[in-house]
Amino acid sequence: MALFLDLDNTILPSKEAYAYAIENCAKDWGKRGLGDNFLELYEVARNQVKSQLKHHSSNRLRLLCFKMLWETQRSTHKNGFQTQDIQDVLWMEERYYYHFLSYYAEEKKKESYLKSLFPLLVSLSKEFPVFLTTNETLRTQLLKIQGFLPDEFRFTLITSEEVGFEKPTKEFFQYVIRKAGDNPKDCIILGDSWEDDILGANSHGIAGIHIPEMWGEGDEVNGLSVDEISSIQKDRNAKPKTNQADLDTNAHLISIWRASNIVIGLTFARSWLLQSQK
C-alpha cells in the first residue's frame, strides 16, 4: 500500500510562490539599474528554454532562464558574455530562491496548513509509505520541501531529474512502481495535473484523485466515469495517454476521483488505502 503525491500545486502552493518570486525579482532588477523590462525578457527566455529542452527536467531551471535573459540584455550593448556577468546571473538565481522561500515561510504559518494539511500529512506518512513524485530538479525540490513541509513528515522523493524521464511517461511511473515495491492496484496518487499525474498513473493501474484546486471550496469526492474522463480529455484538447479501449477495459478496475481540495482528497485516500488492506 503506497500513497503517491505530486508536489507542486498539490501539497505545495507553487504557482503563488513562483508569481511572488518573479514579481520581486523584477523589483530587484530595477533597483540594480538594469531597466524596467525584466518581466518581458524573462518571459521570452523562459519560453525559449522550455521549447529547447522540452520533456527534459532542466527546462525548469531558473538559472538557465536568467543566463539567457542576461545574454539578451547584454547583446544590445556588447558582443558576448563577460566573466563579470556571471556574478549577476548567480545573483538573480539567489534572489529568486530568496523570494520563493520567503513566500513559503509566511504561507506555512496559515491555519489551513498548521491545523489541517500538515498534521494529516504527518499522520499518513506514519501509516503508509509516501512517495513524492515530481517533474523537477532535485535541488529545487529539496529546497521547497525543507522550507515548507513539517519536519515530522516522512517520504521518499522521486524527481524527474533522477529518473531521466518526466511524468506521464511510462519510464517515470515504472521507476516509481519499482521503487515502491507494491502492486499498482494497491496504490493511489493525488495530483493537480490531469495528464501528468492522473492519467499517467492510471495507465499503469494506479487509482487517482484529481485535485484541480489545492484549496478549493467544498468537501466532495466524486468518482469519474469513462465518459466523463473522455470528455475531460476532449475539452482539454490533450493527446490521450491511454486510448478509449484501454479505458473501457480497465474502468471497473482502476478508479479516478475528483476532490474539492487537498485535505478532502488525502482523507479519502486514507480510507481507500485502509479498505484496500482488508
Side-chain angles (χ1 to χ4, degrees), residues 81-186:
F81 206 61
Q82 288 186 315
T83 302
Q84 64 186 27
D85 294 328
I86 294 175
Q87 179 180 349
D88 291 314
V89 174
L90 294 175
W91 171 77
M92 285 302 305
E93 184 195 35
E94 179 184 333
R95 295 303 295 170
Y96 171 81
Y97 281 110
Y98 170 80
H99 294 307
F100 200 100
L101 296 176
S102 293
Y103 180 90
Y104 275 166
E106 289 303 313
E107 183 73 6
K108 71 179 185 180
K109 297 176 183 177
K110 291 183 177 179
E111 187 173 306
S112 55
Y113 294 103
L114 293 176
K115 294 189 176 181
S116 298
L117 179 58
F118 292 165
L120 184 53
L121 286 173
V122 171
S123 177
L124 280 165
S125 71
K126 292 178 180 179
E127 297 177 72
F128 308 101
V130 175
F131 293 81
L132 304 181
T133 64
T134 172
N135 283 350
E136 253 290 5
T137 57
L138 178 59
R139 182 176 184 276
T140 297
Q141 298 305 63
L142 288 176
L143 287 172
K144 291 179 185 177
I145 292 168
Q146 182 185 46
F148 190 73
L149 295 177
D151 293 341
E152 301 84 1
F153 180 47
R154 292 181 177 273
F155 58 88
T156 296
L157 175 63
I158 300 176
T159 67
S160 57
E161 181 179 42
E162 59 197 279
V163 177
F165 296 90
E166 292 194 325
K167 295 182 288 186
T169 62
K170 64 179 182 180
E171 290 86 357
F172 185 94
F173 281 103
Q174 286 172 352
Y175 181 94
V176 170
I177 291 168
R178 287 197 303 271
K179 195 81 171 177
D182 273 310
N183 190 322
K185 72 180 182 65
D186 295 325

